[in-house]
Amino acid sequence: MSWLLTSVVMTLLLVITVLAIAAAASSQLKPLEPIARHGMTVGQVCTGVVVLGAVIGLLKGHDPDELWISVGYGVAALGVPVMLLNRQPDASGEPVEPPHLYVVAVAAFVAMVLVLRLQQTW
């Protein structure tokens, strides 16, 4: 896996974290909300690219020191943001509000840390 790609994805996720916190904390910065939400979608896709690169590396024969820890970080990097950001409608079927911006910030930060840990185990 490339440290350059991982660094770019981590920087993107850090920027999303800061944007989401800023938009949630200040009414003057509320216009940043759509940027943070769409950015998180892009961040999830980029995280998927990093994890896909790790999977391809594993299939090509790369042997990390701790295989199952690397696999766990990859699964968590993809799964945790999805679990935090996807909200299901209640029994009445009413649409639900999107997750709070602080939840978006936490999801972006957690994904950033997990991508870093995946790279470090590589």
Side-chain angles (χ1 to χ4, degrees), residues 92-117:
S92 66
E94 303 249 345
V96 294
E97 295 179 14
H100 196 277
L101 283 172
Y102 286 129
V103 176
V104 173
V106 168
F109 187 78
V110 167
M112 180 189 70
V113 170
L114 290 169
V115 165
L116 173 64
R117 292 298 298 147

Side-chain angles (χ1 to χ4, degrees), residues 66-97:
E66 297 292 335
L67 174 67
W68 292 111
I69 291 174
S70 293
V71 170
Y73 282 132
V75 169
L78 293 175
V80 170
V82 170
M83 289 185 336
L84 288 173
L85 298 174
N86 288 345
R87 300 180 63 183
Q88 299 297 319
D90 58 3
S92 66
E94 303 249 345
V96 294
E97 295 179 14

